[in-house]
Amino acid sequence: QVQLVESGGGLVQAGGSLTLSCAASGRTFRDHTIGWFRQRAQEERDFVAAIRWNSRTTVYADSVKGRFTISRDNVKNTVVLQMNSLRPDDTAVYYCAADTGVILSSIRYHRNYDNWGQGTQVTVSS
Protein backbone atom coordinates (compact mmCIF):
# COMPACT_ATOMS: atom_id res chain seq x y z
CA GLN A 1 0.00 0.00 0.00
CA VAL A 2 1.42 3.36 -1.03
CA GLN A 3 2.07 5.93 1.69
CA LEU A 4 1.81 9.63 0.92
CA VAL A 5 3.15 12.74 2.65
CA GLU A 6 2.28 16.27 1.55
CA SER A 7 4.48 19.30 2.03
CA GLY A 8 4.83 22.86 0.78
CA GLY A 9 1.81 24.53 2.29
CA GLY A 10 1.99 27.90 3.94
CA LEU A 11 0.79 31.47 3.95
CA VAL A 12 0.84 33.51 0.75
CA GLN A 13 -0.78 36.72 -0.42
CA ALA A 14 -3.38 36.73 -3.16
CA GLY A 15 -1.76 36.51 -6.57
CA GLY A 16 1.20 34.60 -5.24
CA SER A 17 2.32 31.04 -5.80
CA LEU A 18 2.97 27.89 -3.83
CA THR A 19 4.31 24.50 -4.81
CA LEU A 20 2.91 21.45 -3.06
CA SER A 21 4.71 18.14 -3.13
CA CYS A 22 3.41 14.66 -2.51
CA ALA A 23 6.11 12.18 -1.59
CA ALA A 24 5.20 8.53 -1.96
CA SER A 25 6.66 5.29 -0.74
CA GLY A 26 5.86 1.86 -2.05
CA ARG A 27 6.64 0.01 -5.23
CA THR A 28 3.09 0.37 -6.51
CA PHE A 29 3.32 4.16 -6.87
CA ARG A 30 3.78 4.01 -10.62
CA ASP A 31 0.55 2.06 -11.02
CA HIS A 32 -1.63 4.69 -9.38
CA THR A 33 -3.50 7.71 -10.48
CA ILE A 34 -2.68 10.50 -8.01
CA GLY A 35 -5.19 13.15 -7.13
CA TRP A 36 -5.13 16.38 -5.19
CA PHE A 37 -8.13 17.33 -3.10
CA ARG A 38 -8.80 20.21 -0.77
CA GLN A 39 -11.06 20.77 2.16
CA ARG A 40 -12.12 24.21 3.32
CA ALA A 41 -13.26 24.83 6.85
CA GLN A 42 -16.77 23.47 7.41
CA GLU A 43 -16.94 22.10 3.85
CA GLU A 44 -16.55 18.74 2.15
CA ARG A 45 -13.39 17.55 0.48
CA ASP A 46 -13.32 18.69 -3.16
CA PHE A 47 -11.39 17.55 -6.18
CA VAL A 48 -8.56 19.79 -7.39
CA ALA A 49 -6.48 17.88 -9.95
CA ALA A 50 -5.35 14.39 -10.89
CA ILE A 51 -2.72 12.76 -13.04
CA ARG A 52 -2.61 9.28 -14.53
CA TRP A 53 0.32 6.92 -14.07
CA ASN A 54 1.97 7.82 -17.38
CA SER A 55 1.31 11.58 -17.12
CA ARG A 56 -0.59 11.52 -20.41
CA THR A 57 -3.86 12.46 -18.76
CA THR A 58 -4.32 15.36 -16.38
CA VAL A 59 -7.64 16.62 -15.08
CA TYR A 60 -8.39 19.85 -13.27
CA ALA A 61 -11.30 21.31 -11.43
CA ASP A 62 -12.76 24.26 -13.30
CA SER A 63 -11.92 26.56 -10.41
CA VAL A 64 -8.17 25.93 -10.77
CA LYS A 65 -7.79 25.33 -14.50
CA GLY A 66 -5.19 27.66 -15.96
CA ARG A 67 -3.77 28.45 -12.52
CA PHE A 68 -2.65 25.07 -11.16
CA THR A 69 -0.45 22.48 -12.81
CA ILE A 70 -0.05 18.87 -11.72
CA SER A 71 2.97 16.79 -12.66
CA ARG A 72 4.70 13.64 -11.49
CA ASP A 73 8.11 12.03 -11.44
CA ASN A 74 7.76 8.28 -11.19
CA VAL A 75 11.49 7.84 -10.62
CA LYS A 76 11.49 10.11 -7.58
CA ASN A 77 8.02 8.96 -6.50
CA THR A 78 6.71 12.49 -6.26
CA VAL A 79 3.71 14.42 -7.50
CA VAL A 80 3.79 18.20 -7.59
CA LEU A 81 0.96 20.70 -7.63
CA GLN A 82 2.15 24.09 -8.81
CA MET A 83 -0.33 26.74 -7.73
CA ASN A 84 -0.21 30.20 -9.29
CA SER A 85 -2.45 33.24 -9.09
CA LEU A 86 -3.71 32.11 -5.73
CA ARG A 87 -6.94 33.53 -4.39
CA PRO A 88 -8.34 33.67 -0.86
CA ASP A 89 -10.90 30.99 -1.72
CA ASP A 90 -8.02 28.61 -2.45
CA THR A 91 -7.46 28.53 1.31
CA ALA A 92 -7.87 24.93 2.44
CA VAL A 93 -6.09 21.85 3.64
CA TYR A 94 -4.71 20.11 0.57
CA TYR A 95 -4.45 16.33 0.39
CA CYS A 96 -2.87 14.03 -2.13
CA ALA A 97 -4.31 10.59 -2.67
CA ALA A 98 -3.62 7.41 -4.59
CA ASP A 99 -6.45 5.64 -6.35
CA THR A 100 -7.65 2.10 -5.71
CA GLY A 101 -6.01 0.75 -8.87
CA VAL A 102 -8.86 1.41 -11.25
CA ILE A 103 -10.96 4.50 -11.83
CA LEU A 104 -14.68 3.92 -12.07
CA SER A 105 -17.22 6.60 -12.86
CA SER A 106 -14.92 9.63 -12.72
CA ILE A 107 -11.34 10.49 -11.87
CA ARG A 108 -12.80 13.38 -9.86
CA TYR A 109 -14.68 11.09 -7.48
CA HIS A 110 -12.98 10.99 -4.11
CA ARG A 111 -14.13 7.44 -3.39
CA ASN A 112 -11.84 6.22 -6.17
CA TYR A 113 -8.95 7.00 -3.84
CA ASP A 114 -8.11 4.84 -0.85
CA ASN A 115 -4.70 6.11 0.27
CA TRP A 116 -4.45 9.64 1.61
CA GLY A 117 -1.74 11.87 2.97
CA GLN A 118 -2.06 13.85 6.17
CA GLY A 119 -2.74 17.15 4.42
CA THR A 120 -0.93 20.47 4.23
CA GLN A 121 -2.48 23.84 5.03
CA VAL A 122 -2.61 26.53 2.36
CA THR A 123 -3.72 29.98 3.45
CA VAL A 124 -4.13 32.81 0.95
CA SER A 125 -4.55 36.29 2.39
CA SER A 126 -6.34 39.13 0.65
Side-chain angles (χ1 to χ4, degrees):
Q1 187 174 8
V2 63
Q3 297 179 349
L4 306 173
V5 179
E6 303 94 336
S7 63
L11 175 64
V12 64
Q13 293 191 6
S17 299
L18 283 174
T19 302
L20 304 185
S21 295
C22 177
S25 62
R27 294 184 178 182
T28 62
F29 173 79
R30 299 178 184 179
D31 299 329
H32 290 280
T33 293
I34 302 297
W36 283 96
F37 294 77
R38 65 187 181 187
Q39 186 168 17
R40 303 180 180 90
Q42 308 298 321
E43 297 184 14
E44 65 182 0
R45 193 168 297 183
D46 293 327
F47 174 80
V48 176
I51 187 167
R52 297 280 293 275
W53 68 273
N54 62 1
S55 299
R56 292 183 179 181
T57 300
T58 57
V59 180
Y60 297 92
D62 289 341
S63 60
V64 307
K65 190 174 296 183
R67 300 189 297 120
F68 293 8
T69 302
I70 188 171
S71 61
R72 71 188 296 164
D73 186 334
N74 287 339
V75 175
K76 297 181 178 179
N77 287 353
T78 58
V79 174
V80 170
L81 184 68
Q82 177 64 47
M83 306 187 296
N84 300 319
S85 301
L86 284 163
R87 308 183 303 216
D89 61 0
D90 293 318
T91 295
V93 177
Y94 283 71
Y95 300 86
C96 66
D99 78 337
T100 60
V102 59
I103 296 292
L104 299 177
S105 181
S106 173
I107 200 170
R108 305 169 183 261
Y109 188 38
H110 68 89
R111 291 188 179 181
N112 281 313
Y113 302 84
D114 63 352
N115 288 282
W116 296 80
Q118 85 289 347
T120 185
Q121 176 70 49
V122 172
T123 302
V124 184
S125 63
S126 60

